[in-house]
């Protein structure tokens, strides 16, 4: 009987302290898991240099066509078309890379973050969205 009086409080003490639940971490709306990383190459921006060079070339070619008013119209059309083509060509020459990282957030939402530099992330990495980028945690 004395043994029971001694063991019963000890068992209850162990049971009560062991039964305490660990505090749960709240859901982090900016935290999630990487589900996809895709490298995308896009045409860059064409600038004034491409437009000027294209316009000059187009104007010279347009000036070779027809005579009189037709020649003037061909020159003007050549300048406009050449400027447009020059801008597009310059954009193709200045390709830019983007990394599209898809993240499934702890809230259940899925989003894609577009980054200008290689984030060195892989599927399954745990990340936090900070300052427009993603950081491992």
């Amino acid at each position: 009987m004395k043994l029971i009086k001694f063991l019963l409080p000890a068992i209850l003490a162990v049971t009560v302290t062991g039964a305490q639940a660990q505090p749960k971490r709240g859901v982090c709306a900016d935290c999630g898991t990487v589900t996809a990383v895709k490298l995308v190459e896009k045409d860059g921006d064409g600038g004034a240099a491409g437009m000027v060079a294209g316009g000059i070339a187009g104007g010279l070619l347009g000036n070779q066509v027809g005579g009189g008013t037709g020649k003037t119209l061909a020159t003007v059309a050549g300048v406009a078309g050449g400027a447009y083509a020059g801008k597009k060509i310059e954009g193709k020459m200045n390709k830019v890379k983007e990394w599209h990282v898809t993240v499934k957030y702890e809230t259940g939402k899925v989003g894609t973050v577009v980054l200008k530099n290689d984030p060195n992330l892989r599927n399954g990495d745990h990340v936090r969205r900070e300052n427009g980028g993603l950081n491992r945690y």
Side-chain angles (χ1 to χ4, degrees):
M1 190 65 150
K2 288 184 181 180
L3 185 60
I4 292 175
K5 285 183 181 180
F6 175 75
L7 287 177
L8 188 58
I11 292 171
L12 287 174
V14 169
T15 305
V16 169
T17 57
Q20 290 179 350
Q22 295 294 324
K24 287 189 175 183
R25 181 176 70 90
V27 174
C28 172
D30 292 324
C31 302
T33 304
V34 174
T35 59
V37 179
K38 182 178 178 184
L39 173 61
V40 176
E41 281 194 12
K42 293 175 54 176
D43 290 346
D45 292 329
M51 289 177 66
V52 169
I56 291 171
L60 289 174
L61 289 174
N63 195 37
Q64 303 298 314
V65 177
T69 306
K71 187 174 204 164
T72 304
L73 290 175
T75 302
V76 171
V79 169
Y84 177 78
K87 182 174 178 155
K88 290 295 184 185
I89 290 169
E90 185 179 10
K92 295 242 181 245
M93 291 173 52
N94 297 326
K95 290 211 179 263
V96 293
K97 293 181 180 180
E98 293 181 342
W99 284 263
H100 293 216
V101 182
T102 304
V103 178
K104 181 171 183 183
Y105 294 99
E106 290 181 7
T107 59
K109 291 184 178 182
V110 175
T112 299
V113 178
V114 178
L115 304 169
K116 299 293 180 193
N117 297 311
D118 185 357
N120 197 24
L121 294 171
R122 304 289 175 258
N123 291 356
D125 285 350
H126 296 284
V127 293
R128 178 186 308 265
R129 187 177 58 214
E130 295 176 324
N131 301 323
L134 295 170
N135 295 317
R136 277 192 194 90
Y137 73 93

